[in-house]
């Protein structure tokens, strides 16, 4: 607190500071507003913590600003790694970008996301050109009531009115960001003559012959007051934020001992956080690298997040880039997800339902123009399981096709090369191999010697869904199914199984799937006496274990 | 009648008049204008007659070339006796194509070679369609490769000698010849040139292009390839640039209005767009890099009611074409120098010229080396439109005038003082000055202008004898008068 005050006092601009102090053991917090001056003013603030629409109230007065850019800088290194060479060239490259960011040739383009803002077009911000903002419109601004004669300058809110919101995967509402692009003037402003180009060839130094591309992928997000002029937002928020991030990226890249830095920044909205946070990762060794896992763990601790769920992996990142965001939010997946939701009756009275946690996609026969009728049910069940890991952000790997699954089994020498492209069945064991190979996920396998014994595994399965929450694949003697949950009454022993059947061959019609019983509660023996699990067959229950990692 | 082609009334009338006055029976030349996009019309601004080659006209009557027109002639012959005026035309196709190449180089953005014209009798025209088609496609091929043109149809304008009548046909660039290949167009004339709008900008070039090979032991064969790919890379980057026209951002749906005909353009480019070229990946072996540094003046012409985006694209095209043309000029020169060197090889005291960036073969890896690109000058041409030329370090404005006369058939009355020089020659970095002077000494002269008809050469020579210092004196005198005038006017206004 003191250092904060000192800092604000030291800086030329007077800054209001709000402090929160925990005042009693029950965790109540008092907020004070500090306004510098002679004498400084300190007052107690009334905070309305009960406001339900906190998100909306806050965002009504703020604009989210987003700026993203990527640099690929070739470094010329010697064949034998030389740390000082690398550092020197890295510093040089960063300085060059920094120079551009500070240059007076910088102009910015701001683009809003709401329909009205899009109609208004792109706003050109020229921070160093007479310090003015020009608003560009195709047909002039209609309905703008601001007084004439005053130099009009666009405000942040001009591009985000009316505010439109989107919901992140953690359920937080964020406004669609105003996207800024940093541009450099490519024309010399001199009115006189220009100097025609000179071409030069500079031979490589003897110890700098191997090309190594340094990748810096920057993205900053800032919050500006809606009444803030865009030009101020650009010069006081975006540009300093970019410079800070570049400096931070330089430090990250320096640590790369292999000199192959690939530094990227991502925005996350972890649960419990109302605004996005930014993390910078060096992804040159992949996401599961030990150092990066350690780093994520630290971030989890600092942000007060649980340590057994991945919340800050690149798959969790929030996409703030307008075009991409809109595309990914609207196009989405063509597959049905969570088809079991809304099923009514499991037929077990007084039972306790234990279900899959989170979302999955329903994979079944004849999808993706593959005719796998009669042999592909286990492949489809595996695809459903992988989709669960994808949607839970454990992986960014695409769901493997039949052929990729077969290739994986050949690669680990479980099958002969001729297996690829064949129509051979796979079982629970193969699926556990593939999950291990592709996702690093281990599985527990329960062997059930006869279908009649299935109900006795209900307790174990309920425990699985409560602790792991992953879909279970049922393989074995006959057909493959995916198990999404159990309903079990401990007292009566009555039980029912939530089965997702991959043998469905029709189109993506949720009604038909439900009424046809392709997803539904099945009793081991139905009311008409028909057994669902066959007495004379064995079953393997494949329970994927949720990785206990961040 | 698919296409409508509009020629500029006054310009074409005057030019057709002068063809008739010249009294020749057949003449070939280029059509310069703008090919329409989408549903818009094709425009023809002017005719540019192809000069003579070694004293011979580019087009003549009679079966001169045994290869081309003979088949056409014999086919006609089967039908019966050709009409008395049906003598087939012979065209020196390569020469016309070379003319198109050099003229294209001198055209600014938004103006292109759009086809050829032929002045002949109706009968000769009818009996030489195959020859003419060949000439159009040859020109189209040259022009397309120069501009990376998107237009696929080029034009053939026939000026019938008697009765005087103009008709136009269009010719798809890639189809093979048949009786229906040349499709008639709707030909009209109107006022076009006064609807031209000029867009100009200065563009800062700062290219750093890595010179890499995939195997460490591999030697560089020539640096030319890298220089051209560096320009191609810049062209790709330029696509992402946005234009600020007259101080405001160019909107995608704007259309050129009839307002001020002169526009200032500034380009802005996303920071970070300067990536590494896609062909370069980790682990490749670097031999160095080529740098292009400097500014260039670019200009393009749009026409009223055209979308602004097209004018901006043409201006971008002009930037790239200008870089390419300058490099091509130097490469041509270097090739000639190499040719000369091969001729001299028999001499005992001959020493091969040192290798440069532009040499076609490199026997050893080149040292640090640089050269200045030729500077661009603008020459007034039509009403409201200019052409450009490039001046090598030791060239004078006379050389520009000579080329304009040869290639554009300009009158000798062209005022040399009306040439605009928006650029100055770049200074080669000092380190380089220690390199022997002959590394950047390249013989001057233009392939085409070297072969101009002797008569023109002689008349040029007379003019050339006027010492240049007289001109500089006149120039200085004029400038001095101006300064004095300004001073006087100031003096008087102050008194008041």
């Amino acid at each position: 607190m003191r250092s904060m005050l000192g800092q604000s006092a030291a800086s030329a601009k007077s800054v209001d500071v709000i402090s929160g102090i925990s005042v009693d053991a029950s965790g109540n917090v008092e907020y004070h507003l500090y306004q510098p001056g002679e004498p400084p003013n300190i007052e107690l603030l009334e905070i309305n913590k009960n406001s339900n629409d906190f998100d909306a109230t806050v965002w009504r007065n703020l604009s989210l600003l987003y700026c993203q850019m990527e640099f690929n800088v070739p470094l010329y290194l010697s064949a034998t790694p030389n740390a000082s060479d690398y550092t020197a060239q890295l510093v040089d490259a960063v300085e060059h970008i920094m120079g551009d960011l500070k240059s007076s040739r910088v102009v910015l383009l701001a683009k809003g996301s709401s329909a009205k803002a899009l109609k208004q077009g792109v706003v050109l911000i020229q921070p160093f050109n007479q310090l003015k903002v020009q608003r560009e419109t195709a047909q002039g601004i209609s309905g703008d009531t601001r007084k004439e004669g005053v130099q009009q300058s666009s405000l942040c809110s001009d591009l985000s009115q009316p505010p439109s919101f989107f919901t992140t995967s953690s359920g937080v509402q964020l406004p669609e960001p105003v996207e800024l692009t940093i541009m450099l003037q490519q024309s010399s402003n001199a009115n006189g003559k220009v100097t025609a180009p000179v071409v030069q060839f500079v031979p490589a130094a003897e110890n700098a012959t191997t090309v190594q591309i340094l990748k810096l992928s920057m993205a900053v997000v800032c919050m500006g007051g809606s009444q803030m002029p865009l030009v101020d937002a650009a010069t006081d928020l975006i540009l300093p934020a970019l410079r800070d991030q570049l400096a931070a990226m330089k430090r990250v890249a320096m640590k790369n001992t292999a000199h192959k830095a690939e530094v990227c920044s991502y925005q996350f909205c972890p649960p419990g956080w109302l605004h996005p946070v930014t993390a910078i990762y060096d992804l040159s060794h992949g996401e599961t690298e030990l150092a990066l896992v350690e780093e994520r763990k630290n971030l989890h601790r600092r942000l007060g997040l649980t340590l057994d769920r991945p919340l800050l992996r690149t798959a969790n990142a929030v996409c703030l880039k307008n075009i991409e965001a809109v595309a990914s939010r609207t196009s989405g997946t063509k597959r049905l997800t969570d088809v079991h939701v809304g099923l009514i009756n499991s037929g077990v009275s007084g039972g306790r339902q234990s279900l899959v946690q989170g979302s999955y996609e329903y994979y079944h026969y004849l999808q993706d123009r593959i005719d796998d009728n009669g042999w592909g049910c286990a492949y489809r069940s595996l695809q459903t399981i992988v989709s669960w890991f994808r949607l839970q952000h454990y992986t960014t790997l695409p769901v493997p096709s039949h052929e990729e699954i077969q290739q994986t089994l050949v690669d680990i020498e479980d099958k002969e090369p001729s297996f690829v492209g064949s129509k051979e069945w796979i079982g629970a064991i193969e699926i556990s191999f593939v999950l291990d190979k592709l996702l690093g996920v281990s599985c527990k396998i329960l062997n059930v010697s006869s279908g009649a014994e299935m109900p006795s595994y209900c307790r174990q399965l309920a425990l699985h869904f409560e602790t792991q929450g992953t879909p279970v694949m049922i393989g074995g003697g006959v057909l493959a199914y995916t198990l999404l949950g159990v309903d079990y009454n401990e007292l009566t022993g009555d039980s029912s199984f939530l089965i997702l059947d991959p043998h469905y061959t029709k189109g993506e019609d949720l009604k038909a799937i439900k009424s046809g019983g392709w997803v539904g509660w099945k009793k081991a023996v139905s009311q008409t006496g028909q057994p669902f699990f066959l007495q004379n067959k064995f079953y393997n229950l494949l329970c994927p274990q949720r990785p206990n990692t961040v | 009648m698919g296409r409508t082609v509009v020629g500029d009334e006054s310009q074409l009338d005057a030019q057709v008049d002068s063809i008739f006055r010249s009294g020749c029976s057949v003449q070939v030349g280029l059509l310069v204008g703008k090919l329409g996009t989408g549903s818009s019309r094709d425009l023809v601004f002017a005719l540019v007659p192809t000069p003579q080659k070694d004293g011979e006209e580019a087009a003549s009557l009679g079966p001169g070339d045994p290869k081309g027109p003979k088949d056409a002639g014999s086919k006609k012959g089967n039908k019966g006796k050709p009409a008395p005026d049906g003598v087939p035309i012979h065209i020196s196709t390569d020469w016309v194509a070379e003319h198109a190449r050099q003229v294209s180089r001198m055209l600014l953005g938004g103006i292109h070679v759009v086809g050829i014209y032929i002045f002949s009798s109706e009968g000769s025209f009818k009996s030489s369609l195959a020859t003419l088609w060949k000439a159009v496609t040859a020109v189209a091929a040259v022009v397309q490769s120069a501009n990376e043109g998107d237009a696929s149809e080029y034009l053939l304008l026939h000026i019938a000698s008697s009765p005087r009548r103009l008709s136009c046909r269009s010719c798809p660039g890639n189809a093979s010849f048949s009786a229906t290949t040349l499709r008639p167009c709707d030909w009209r004339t109107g006022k076009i040139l006064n609807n031209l709008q000029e867009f100009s900008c200065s563009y800062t070039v700062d290219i750093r292009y890595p010179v890499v090979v995939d195997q460490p032991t591999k030697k560089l064969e020539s640096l030319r390839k890298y220089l051209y790919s560096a320009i191609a890379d810049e062209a790709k980057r330029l696509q992402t640039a946005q234009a600020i026209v007259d101080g405001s951002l160019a909107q995608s749906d704007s259309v050129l209005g009839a307002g001020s005909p002169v526009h200032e353009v500034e380009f802005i480019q996303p920071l970070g767009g300067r990536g590494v070229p896609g062909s370069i990946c980790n682990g490749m072996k670097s031999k160095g890099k080529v740098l292009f540094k400097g500014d260039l003046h670019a200009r393009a012409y749009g026409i009223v009611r055209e979308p602004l985006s097209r004018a901006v694209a043409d201006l971008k095209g002009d930037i790239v074409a200008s870089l390419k043309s300058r490099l091509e000029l130097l490469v041509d020169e270097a090739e000639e120098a190499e040719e000369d060197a091969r001729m001299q090889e028999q001499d005992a005291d001959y020493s091969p010229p040192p290798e440069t960036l532009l040499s076609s073969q490199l026997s050893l890896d080149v040292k640090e080396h640089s050269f200045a690109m030729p500077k661009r000058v603008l020459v007034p041409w039509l009403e409201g439109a200019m052409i450009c030329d490039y001046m090598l370090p030791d060239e004078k404005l006379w050389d520009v005038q000579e080329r304009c006369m040869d290639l554009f058939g300009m009158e000798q009355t062209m005022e040399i003082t009306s040439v605009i020089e928006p650029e100055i020659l770049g200074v080669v970095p000092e380190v380089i000055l220690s390199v022997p002077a002959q590394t950047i000494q390249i013989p001057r002269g233009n392939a085409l202008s070297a072969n101009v008809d002797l008569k023109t050469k002689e008349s040029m020579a007379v003019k050339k004898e006027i010492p240049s210092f007289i001109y500089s004196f006149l120039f200085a005198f004029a400038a001095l008068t101006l300064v004095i005038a300004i001073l006087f006017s100031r003096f008087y206004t102050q008194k008041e």
Side-chain angles (χ1 to χ4, degrees):
Chain A
M1 176 74 187
R2 194 169 297 144
S3 74
M4 278 274 285
L5 293 180
Q7 212 175 17
S8 80
S11 67
K13 277 186 185 173
S14 66
V15 182
D16 293 355
V17 178
I18 295 175
S19 73
I21 302 165
S22 172
V23 285
D24 56 29
S26 61
N28 284 331
V29 181
E30 253 179 25
Y31 294 93
H32 296 268
L33 173 70
Y34 169 89
Q35 288 173 310
E38 290 297 333
N41 171 35
I42 297 181
E43 61 180 272
L44 185 68
L45 290 176
E46 283 294 321
I47 305 279
N48 180 8
K49 278 176 283 187
N50 299 327
S51 173
N52 282 331
D53 53 352
F54 173 77
D55 304 5
T57 359
V58 167
W59 290 119
R60 197 138 297 150
N61 299 315
L62 288 172
S63 290
L64 201 60
L65 308 167
Y66 179 68
C67 177
Q68 183 250 354
M69 53 188 166
E70 196 173 304
F71 297 92
N72 289 302
V73 189
L75 304 181
Y76 303 99
L77 305 172
S78 61
T80 50
N82 179 337
S84 67
D85 261 10
Y86 170 71
T87 315
Q89 289 199 39
L90 173 69
V91 170
D92 213 47
V94 169
E95 280 309 309
H96 194 263
I97 301 169
M98 203 64 109
D100 281 346
L101 280 175
K102 288 178 181 165
S103 127
S104 58
R105 288 160 60 217
V106 164
V107 293
L108 293 94
L109 294 181
K111 195 167 66 183
S113 52
S114 64
K116 191 181 156 212
L118 281 177
K119 211 187 255 171
Q120 284 188 2
V122 177
V123 175
L124 175 69
I125 309 168
Q126 295 175 298
F128 305 103
N129 183 8
Q130 304 138 14
L131 279 168
K132 69 169 184 183
V133 182
Q134 291 168 346
R135 184 211 301 258
E136 305 310 324
T137 50
Q139 54 269 49
I141 318 131
S142 54
D144 200 318
T145 52
R146 247 171 284 136
K147 286 187 188 77
E148 281 173 44
V150 181
Q151 170 68 54
Q152 263 194 10
S153 62
S154 295
L155 305 177
C156 291
S157 56
D158 290 357
L159 286 173
S160 49
Q161 288 300 333
S164 57
F165 292 90
F166 70 97
T167 311
T168 65
S169 54
S170 58
V172 179
Q173 281 221 324
L174 288 181
E176 296 276 1
V178 171
E179 199 178 321
L180 289 106
T181 318
I182 309 272
M183 312 282 275
L184 277 188
Q185 283 173 342
Q186 282 290 308
S187 301
S188 59
N189 267 332
N191 296 319
K193 294 187 174 189
V194 295
T195 309
V198 170
V199 182
Q200 192 179 0
F201 172 73
V202 184
E206 243 159 67
N207 59 348
T209 50
T210 308
V211 178
Q212 181 62 52
I213 294 161
L214 169 71
K215 191 176 161 192
L216 301 174
S217 174
M218 301 177 70
V220 296
V221 59
C222 297
M223 283 191 247
S226 25
Q227 292 310 305
M228 191 178 200
L230 271 172
V231 65
D232 291 352
T235 48
D236 298 349
L237 298 176
I238 291 285
L239 287 172
L242 284 170
R243 293 198 287 264
D244 288 351
Q245 184 167 85
L246 187 61
M249 284 187 153
K250 183 174 89 176
R251 288 192 293 274
V252 172
M254 292 252 230
K255 283 189 219 148
N256 191 309
T257 46
H259 306 154
K260 290 179 182 169
E262 198 176 301
V263 189
C264 306
S265 65
Y266 292 91
Q267 271 73 40
F268 299 98
C269 238
W273 286 77
L274 295 170
H275 61 80
V277 295
T278 302
I280 300 171
Y281 296 135
D282 182 351
L283 291 177
S284 52
H285 297 295
E287 260 197 297
T288 46
E289 187 221 0
L290 214 61
L292 207 52
V293 172
E294 231 11 78
E295 211 178 300
R296 275 203 302 273
K297 260 188 198 152
N298 277 331
L299 285 177
H300 272 246
R301 280 193 205 104
R302 280 165 64 184
L303 298 174
L305 306 172
T306 157
L307 285 174
D308 59 355
R309 293 282 183 276
L311 297 169
L312 300 177
R313 289 199 179 201
T314 54
N316 300 91
V318 207
C319 185
L320 291 170
K321 197 171 167 56
N322 280 331
I323 313 134
E324 284 172 27
V326 169
S328 71
R329 267 178 243 141
T330 52
S331 75
T333 164
K334 281 165 274 148
R335 269 176 249 280
L336 297 170
T337 55
D338 303 336
V339 288
H340 69 277
V341 174
L343 285 174
I344 333 156
N345 199 350
S346 70
V348 177
S349 59
R352 192 179 131 84
Q353 287 188 4
S354 311
L355 301 179
V356 63
Q357 300 171 10
S359 294
Y360 59 89
E361 290 171 332
Y362 180 25
Y363 282 79
H364 58 77
Y365 275 171
L366 303 187
Q367 279 180 332
D368 318 309
R369 296 160 183 263
I370 294 173
D371 182 6
D372 56 350
N373 198 345
W375 58 278
C377 51
Y379 294 88
R380 297 297 183 182
S381 184
L382 170 61
Q383 287 173 335
T384 299
I385 292 173
V386 176
S387 79
W388 182 91
F389 279 95
R390 260 179 74 78
L391 293 174
Q392 265 42 249
H393 303 302
Y394 282 96
T395 181
T396 47
L397 278 181
V399 173
S401 66
H402 292 48
E403 203 160 302
E404 282 161 349
I405 293 167
Q406 290 171 335
Q407 186 61 51
T408 309
L409 288 168
V410 171
D411 288 348
I412 60 167
E413 295 177 355
D414 179 60
K415 296 273 190 271
E416 295 296 314
S418 63
F419 181 64
V420 177
S422 72
K423 291 187 175 184
E424 279 179 58
W425 293 30
I426 54 172
I429 309 297
E430 283 89 349
I431 290 181
S432 76
F433 290 159
V434 174
L435 284 175
D436 182 51
K437 171 77 182 164
L438 292 183
L439 307 180
V441 167
S442 59
C443 299
K444 211 174 187 176
I445 296 179
L446 304 175
N447 302 107
V448 185
S449 52
S450 151
E453 286 176 30
M454 277 299 273
S456 60
Y457 284 88
C458 260
R459 189 190 296 271
Q460 247 176 303
L461 286 169
L463 187 70
H464 166 85
F465 285 113
E466 270 151 36
T467 58
Q468 309 297 327
T470 60
V472 170
M473 184 256 175
I474 304 177
V478 264
L479 304 166
Y481 298 108
T482 313
L483 181 65
L484 299 174
V486 290
D487 196 342
Y488 180 54
N489 185 331
E490 286 195 37
L491 296 173
T492 61
D494 195 7
S495 65
S496 189
F497 299 84
L498 181 54
I499 299 290
L500 181 69
D501 193 341
H503 302 88
Y504 177 66
T505 52
K506 299 272 164 48
E508 310 294 298
D509 180 357
L510 189 59
K511 237 184 202 167
I513 290 166
K514 281 186 176 165
S515 61
W518 299 103
V519 59
W521 289 98
K522 311 279 177 186
K523 294 212 163 191
V525 178
S526 72
Q527 280 161 342
T528 53
Q530 285 273 329
F532 183 77
F533 298 109
L534 303 174
Q535 305 263 335
N536 52 352
K537 300 286 181 191
F538 74 97
Y539 288 89
N540 286 327
L541 303 178
L542 180 84
C543 309
Q545 303 296 293
R546 188 174 191 145
N548 189 8
T549 177
V550 293
Chain B
M1 286 263 171
R3 297 164 82 96
T4 302
V5 184
V6 184
D8 186 74
E9 205 166 16
S10 51
Q11 178 69 27
L12 291 193
D13 274 353
Q15 286 191 302
V16 173
D17 281 350
S18 85
I19 294 174
F20 274 95
R21 270 203 308 275
S22 73
C24 60
S25 56
V26 58
Q27 192 186 87
V28 71
L30 305 173
L31 295 175
V32 171
K34 212 177 190 36
L35 285 176
T37 49
S39 60
S40 63
R41 303 164 303 174
D42 300 320
L43 305 175
V44 175
F45 298 157
L47 311 176
V48 179
T50 301
Q52 294 175 335
K53 181 193 189 185
D54 304 329
E56 264 177 46
E57 292 291 345
S60 56
L61 285 176
D65 183 19
K67 283 176 272 168
K70 222 175 189 179
D71 321 335
S74 63
K75 259 182 213 160
K76 290 271 161 199
N78 292 341
K79 282 187 189 165
K81 235 183 155 189
D85 65 340
V87 187
I89 307 163
H90 166 66
I91 292 178
S92 167
T93 308
D94 293 347
W95 186 245
V96 175
E98 175 61 18
H99 182 220
R101 188 174 81 94
Q102 299 208 17
V103 163
S104 288
R105 199 183 269 173
M106 293 173 77
L107 292 174
L108 290 160
I111 301 182
H112 301 291
V113 171
V114 295
I116 64 168
Y117 74 86
I118 184 82
F119 168 76
S120 73
S121 68
E122 193 71 37
S124 296
F125 178 74
K126 287 243 166 78
S127 58
S128 347
L129 284 179
T131 315
L132 291 166
W133 170 80
K134 223 173 97 188
V136 177
T137 42
V139 166
V142 165
V143 175
Q144 262 175 335
S145 72
N147 310 325
E148 278 143 27
D150 41 359
S152 54
E153 299 228 333
Y154 284 80
L155 305 173
L156 169 64
L157 179 70
H158 177 228
I159 304 164
S161 48
S162 67
R164 175 172 164 161
R165 201 172 73 86
L166 271 64
S167 63
C168 189
R169 293 171 189 236
S170 76
C171 170
N174 43 12
S176 57
F177 181 72
S178 73
T180 53
T181 314
L182 292 166
R183 267 172 301 182
C185 303
D186 188 12
W187 170 262
R188 290 182 201 161
T189 52
K191 281 188 176 147
I192 306 175
L193 286 172
N194 45 13
N195 280 338
L196 280 184
Q197 302 233 326
E198 176 194 299
F199 294 83
S200 60
C201 81
S202 74
Y203 183 77
T204 306
V205 190
D206 184 9
I207 307 176
R208 301 147 172 273
Y209 192 81
V211 175
V212 295
V213 288
D214 35 18
Q215 280 143 21
T217 49
K218 212 167 166 186
K219 253 188 5 173
L220 288 172
E221 282 161 13
S222 164
L223 277 165
R224 280 181 199 174
K225 185 182 100 186
Y226 295 97
L227 295 171
Y228 279 116
S229 357
I231 292 174
D233 194 53
E234 181 74 4
K236 218 188 272 163
R237 208 168 82 83
L238 193 56
Q239 291 311 312
T240 62
Q242 303 250 19
I244 301 177
V245 181
D246 298 329
S248 57
L249 202 67
Q251 294 289 324
S252 51
D253 51 355
S254 301
V255 171
L256 301 191
S260 158
V262 180
H263 304 278
E264 281 288 326
V265 181
E266 242 183 284
F267 280 112
I268 54 174
Q269 219 151 36
L271 180 61
R274 186 183 297 277
V276 255
S279 58
I280 288 168
C281 46
N282 285 341
M284 281 185 161
K285 297 298 159 201
S286 160
K287 292 276 179 186
K289 52 191 164 194
V290 283
L291 313 173
F292 287 63
K293 267 189 177 169
D295 301 276
L296 55 90
H297 178 89
R299 197 171 276 215
Y301 293 94
I303 202 131
V304 172
R305 285 192 297 279
E306 218 177 31
L308 178 59
S309 57
R310 179 159 185 206
V312 169
D314 282 339
L315 190 57
K316 287 178 178 178
D318 188 56
I319 292 173
V320 177
S322 175
L323 277 173
K324 243 195 207 161
S325 298
R326 293 176 212 230
L327 185 57
E328 262 168 30
L329 274 173
L330 293 174
V331 166
D332 286 356
E333 301 277 357
E335 259 167 19
E336 265 173 56
E338 278 175 19
E339 193 62 41
D340 288 352
R342 261 196 292 283
M343 306 278 267
Q344 290 167 18
E345 223 158 330
Q346 287 90 343
D347 296 359
D349 55 347
Y350 166 76
S351 63
E355 278 160 355
T356 70
L357 272 183
L358 296 164
S359 307
S360 61
Q361 294 287 320
L362 294 177
S363 57
L364 20 104
D365 284 346
V366 264
K367 303 217 166 52
E368 183 162 343
H369 172 70
S370 66
F371 58 85
M373 281 191 147
K375 68 172 185 179
R376 194 178 215 187
V377 292
L378 302 173
V379 183
W381 176 44
L382 301 172
E383 173 196 352
M386 300 189 106
I387 52 173
C388 71
D389 193 18
Y390 299 97
M391 276 169 77
L392 291 158
D394 60 351
E395 280 187 319
K396 298 278 175 297
L397 285 175
W398 285 118
D399 301 291
V400 174
Q401 194 193 27
E402 196 181 314
R403 279 194 288 270
C404 291
M405 285 164 60
D406 295 342
L407 295 170
F408 279 81
M410 277 195 186
E411 314 266 324
Q412 282 177 30
T413 52
M414 181 192 119
E415 301 259 337
I416 207 148
T417 46
S418 60
V419 174
I420 301 175
E421 296 176 75
E423 298 177 357
I424 54 172
L425 214 56
V427 182
V428 175
E430 259 177 52
V431 203
I432 304 316
L433 294 179
S434 59
V435 175
Q438 70 252 41
T439 48
I440 40 175
Q441 227 174 57
I442 338 174
R444 309 296 161 216
N446 186 298
L448 195 57
S449 49
N451 294 322
V452 231
D453 149 21
L454 262 171
K455 242 195 254 165
T456 354
K457 263 261 141 107
E458 271 164 21
S459 61
M460 285 298 303
V462 179
K463 273 211 167 179
K464 258 192 174 169
E465 270 159 25
I466 304 169
S468 60
F469 69 82
I470 289 186
Y471 279 87
S472 40
F473 170 74
L474 283 174
F475 216 78
F477 181 74
L480 196 70
T481 321
L482 194 70
V483 168
I484 290 168
I486 291 168
L487 282 177
F488 265 97
S489 66
R490 282 232 155 179
F491 185 67
Y492 279 112
T493 45
Q494 264 177 16
K495 273 213 158 168
E496 279 165 14

